[in-house]
Amino acid sequence: MKVVIVGGVAGGATAAARIRRLDEQAEIVVFERSGYISYANCGLPYYIGGVIEDPEDLTLQTPESFFSRFRIHMKVHHEVTAIHPDRKTVSVKDLKTGEEFEESYDKLLLSPGAKPVWPGLPGMDSDKLFPLRTVEDTFRIKEFVDHNKPKSAVMVGGGFIGLEVAENLRELGMDVTIVQRPKQLMNPFDADMASFIHSEVRKHGVKLALGYSVEGFEEKDGGINVLLKNREAIYTDMVVLAIGVTPESSLAKDAGLALGLKGSILVNDRMETSVPDIYAVGDAVQVKHYVTGEAALIALAGPANKQGRIAADNICGGDSRYLGSQGSSVIKIFDMTAATTGINETNARNAGLHVDTVILSPMSHAGYYPGGKLMTMKVVFEKETYRLLGAQIVGYDGVDKRIDVLATAIHAGIKATDLKDLDLAYAPPYSSAKDPVNMAGFMIDNISKGLKQWHLSDAANLPRDGSVTLLDTRTVGEYSRGHIDGFQNIPVDELRERIGEIEPGKPVYVICQSGLRSYIATRILEGYGFEAFNFAGGFRFYDAVMNDRALIEAAFACGMDK
């Protein structure tokens, strides 16, 4: 059997090695148009920032090491220009010599990946404007930074790559601005959770221009102007463009393969395309979202690796199936860690799901053990069924551990109420006897048994006409340092003695700093016959989100974050 693979990196290289492990006699040829067959593309921003010092550390395998270990022919600087399914060949061009030839195959695997979105705006030909997708892109940016010593940079795009590049350029001492059309960074997160990310980015001196549309670029005085719609241009020394990627599917389209979302390659759960003996994996393919069951594009290394293994199994006569992508991801943002899995509240509602959320602020480990740090967790679940839909966590220590537990729970089909029953490891330096994931489960279990909540989205519409009671159960000192207008203050420890101050027969909307004391207060109030609602997230959450919204709107009105 002869297998030709188009593209290396996560999907193609993984598939090649797996095929060899399953079939020692197979002839395997990989064509890669770049000079690198298997590299750590997730590490590229950290090489620019000097965190990864040796560029060879980015290269996971070389053509020589692949051949030595697996006897696989890895042909770099070779571009496949056409697929001929009728005669089971591909046209190939040697980019160094210009030679063109055809290569036959019994099985063909496409792993072309995705290409950066490169909009047709004026000034895109500037040598001060950089994409970041490949090792070659990275070396070009690194060379520019080392040679020109730029003092400022604009990052267009506020996703994973955008934030990682912004952090690394900022750590080099550069003045960095992130320009983003949506009014938040990191769209996998809900806007309220993104508020904490914004705060961390601002704390480290990165300016945010959120809600701004880029209309072009113009070189000026040795630098470059980023031209903005209805805004003053931003002058900078360099621009990195990371506004997203689009499937690299031109080969598949020209060969008549069926396409899906945004021109992606359509595959089934065996990673088979619409043409016999042609498989496809990675960022170029349409997948099923594991939570919603809907078609999706999810460009992440983990799914690409799994798909490569599954395609290899099936090429070698097996029957492996890809169950779908869940979108689990984590990112370092200066000192903070942010992570997500499943779908967020915004997308769940847009999909027509009837959802609720719990928001909590647990410590990373036992409070009495030194060094614990707060994290903010948002868990999304379906009402009535309590199906676990997604989670987002921002914090410092222990974020990755909890998101992986929640990702596993979603994959296993565990109900949100059953999170309380998970038997998770505990020792004071690592967790609490009630792990944050268990705490989320306790809260959702309470809701399933009748506990009522109110949310940030309800705050502006709470009546101030006396028809409801608005109650803040924090201490007098906490209340005096900031509170929501219209809320009276009765500390929770005084509530029983002062219950007569609350008018009977009216619903009571309760808030505290984190949600714990207000929860206790709602139980007390219910014991006295009141209908009580606990605020999801506490005043700490409310204050962070509202302050962030005010900063975004003020910056949008006057120019940008200063």
Side-chain angles (χ1 to χ4, degrees):
M1 177 176 67
K2 182 177 180 180
V3 182
V4 169
I5 299 175
V6 181
V9 199
T14 296
R18 176 69 172 171
I19 292 168
R20 172 57 73 228
R21 289 194 293 270
L22 296 177
D23 187 343
E24 183 61 26
Q25 306 307 317
E27 181 183 355
I28 307 167
V29 182
V30 180
F31 294 111
E32 167 61 48
R33 65 184 173 191
S34 77
Y36 300 87
I37 196 67
S38 180
Y39 59 87
N41 51 358
C42 295
L44 301 183
Y46 300 98
Y47 174 66
I48 293 170
V51 177
I52 298 172
E53 297 180 356
D54 188 345
E56 291 190 3
D57 289 342
L58 297 171
T59 305
L60 304 179
Q61 292 280 358
T62 65
E64 295 76 19
S65 68
F66 241 101
F67 186 81
S68 176
R69 177 66 57 85
F70 298 112
R71 297 302 188 270
I72 292 172
H73 299 282
M74 294 287 192
K75 297 189 176 183
V76 296
H77 299 301
H78 281 68
E79 182 175 10
V80 174
T81 57
I83 303 169
H84 312 291
D86 54 338
R87 56 182 185 267
K88 299 188 81 167
T89 65
V90 295
S91 295
V92 186
K93 182 176 183 179
D94 185 328
L95 298 178
K96 284 190 171 181
T97 67
E99 177 194 2
E100 297 186 27
F101 59 92
E102 282 197 13
E103 188 86 18
S104 65
Y105 66 82
D106 296 311
K107 304 285 185 180
L108 177 65
L109 174 64
L110 304 178
S111 179
K115 57 186 176 182
V117 173
W118 200 246
L121 298 174
M124 293 291 294
D125 57 347
S126 170
D127 61 3
K128 298 176 178 62
L129 185 63
F130 303 88
L132 179 57
R133 183 67 179 176
T134 66
V135 174
E136 287 90 347
D137 293 335
T138 306
F139 290 163
R140 183 169 165 248
I141 296 172
K142 179 72 169 172
E143 182 181 359
F144 183 88
V145 170
D146 291 347
H147 184 264
N148 294 280
K149 302 292 190 293
K151 292 183 171 58
S152 62
V154 167
M155 185 73 241
V156 182
F160 287 93
I161 293 293
L163 260 67
E164 289 170 345
V165 173
E167 174 185 343
N168 279 277
L169 294 180
R170 182 63 186 152
E171 296 287 14
L172 290 174
M174 296 171 63
D175 183 13
V176 178
T177 301
I178 300 176
V179 179
Q180 168 90 331
R181 183 180 296 173
K183 287 190 176 181
Q184 71 165 86
L185 303 175
M186 295 297 294
N187 286 332
F189 291 78
D190 287 314
D192 50 13
M193 294 296 286
S195 298
F196 296 91
I197 297 173
H198 298 167
S199 178
E200 182 73 8
V201 169
R202 292 189 187 103
K203 185 174 77 175
H204 286 85
V206 175
K207 301 181 182 71
L208 299 180
L210 303 178
Y212 288 41
S213 295
V214 175
E215 293 197 318
F217 306 91
E218 180 182 71
E219 293 200 18
K220 180 180 179 181
D221 301 332
I224 184 169
N225 268 333
V226 181
L227 307 177
L228 304 172
K229 184 177 181 179
N230 300 323
R231 300 279 159 186
E232 184 178 345
I234 303 174
Y235 179 78
T236 186
D237 295 326
M238 64 180 293
V239 176
V240 181
L241 197 65
I243 57 176
V245 295
T246 186
E248 180 63 274
S249 58
S250 56
L251 277 175
K253 180 181 179 182
D254 293 344
L257 277 64
L259 303 180
L261 290 175
K262 297 183 180 180
S264 58
I265 304 171
L266 200 62
V267 294
N268 61 18
D269 60 357
R270 287 170 48 85
M271 310 312 299
E272 296 169 322
T273 70
S274 61
V275 175
D277 296 323
I278 301 181
Y279 298 74
V281 300
D283 296 352
V285 305
Q286 174 181 297
V287 298
K288 180 182 75 172
H289 197 289
Y290 187 79
V291 175
T292 66
E294 300 294 323
L297 296 177
I298 299 178
L300 292 170
N305 274 282
K306 295 182 186 74
Q307 292 160 16
R309 179 186 174 91
I310 288 166
D313 286 352
N314 295 324
I315 285 171
C316 294
D319 186 23
S320 292
R321 307 279 174 160
Y322 187 65
L323 300 179
S325 296
Q326 201 170 298
S328 301
S329 56
V330 63
I331 183 173
K332 172 187 175 295
I333 306 169
F334 293 100
D335 299 325
M336 175 178 277
T337 300
T340 182
T341 187
I343 57 173
N344 61 29
E345 180 185 8
T346 304
N347 291 338
R349 293 189 185 282
N350 289 341
L353 296 173
H354 194 209
V355 302
D356 201 355
T357 65
V358 292
I359 298 168
L360 58 157
S361 301
M363 295 288 285
S364 57
H365 60 242
Y368 59 82
Y369 187 88
K373 295 182 179 179
L374 279 175
M375 66 180 75
T376 303
M377 296 176 58
K378 182 175 186 178
V379 179
V380 184
F381 58 94
E382 192 171 33
K383 289 184 177 180
E384 286 84 39
T385 68
Y386 291 92
R387 179 165 68 109
L388 192 57
L389 300 175
Q392 303 153 64
I393 313 177
V394 291
Y396 300 92
D397 296 337
V399 169
D400 53 340
K401 169 182 174 178
R402 274 67 187 215
I403 205 70
D404 282 344
V405 172
L406 289 162
T408 303
I410 291 172
H411 186 83
I414 294 173
K415 284 190 175 183
T417 47
D418 293 335
L419 295 175
K420 70 183 189 305
D421 300 319
L422 295 180
D423 194 349
L424 303 175
Y426 160 62
Y430 303 106
S431 185
S432 301
K434 296 178 181 178
D435 186 87
V437 174
N438 294 137
M439 287 301 302
F442 293 141
M443 294 168 68
I444 296 168
D445 183 62
N446 284 336
I447 292 168
S448 74
K449 294 173 179 175
L451 182 74
K452 298 181 175 67
Q453 290 192 110
W454 64 284
H455 296 275
L456 184 66
S457 57
D458 302 318
N461 297 320
L462 286 178
R464 263 69 172 183
D465 59 1
S467 58
V468 301
T469 298
L470 307 178
L471 180 64
D472 189 321
T473 60
R474 295 176 297 157
T475 66
V476 173
E478 288 172 312
Y479 180 84
S480 67
R481 288 190 290 272
H483 58 270
I484 305 175
D485 289 344
F487 276 71
Q488 69 181 99
N489 180 218
I490 301 178
V492 65
D493 293 337
E494 301 174 16
L495 183 57
R496 291 180 180 87
E497 288 73 29
R498 298 174 60 181
I499 200 74
E501 298 178 28
I502 301 175
E503 189 173 344
K506 295 181 181 179
V508 186
Y509 289 80
V510 192
I511 192 171
C512 72
Q513 189 68 12
S514 68
L516 175 58
R517 284 173 288 176
S518 53
Y519 163 66
I520 294 169
T522 61
R523 291 301 197 190
I524 294 171
L525 290 164
E526 287 171 348
Y528 282 89
F530 290 91
E531 182 184 24
F533 298 80
N534 186 27
F535 180 69
F539 186 79
R540 170 184 172 271
F541 180 78
Y542 172 90
D543 195 43
V545 176
M546 298 307 291
N547 283 338
D548 178 63
R549 290 180 180 176
L551 286 171
I552 291 171
E553 293 307 318
F556 189 75
C558 71
M560 72 176 71
D561 281 8
K562 302 298 183 184

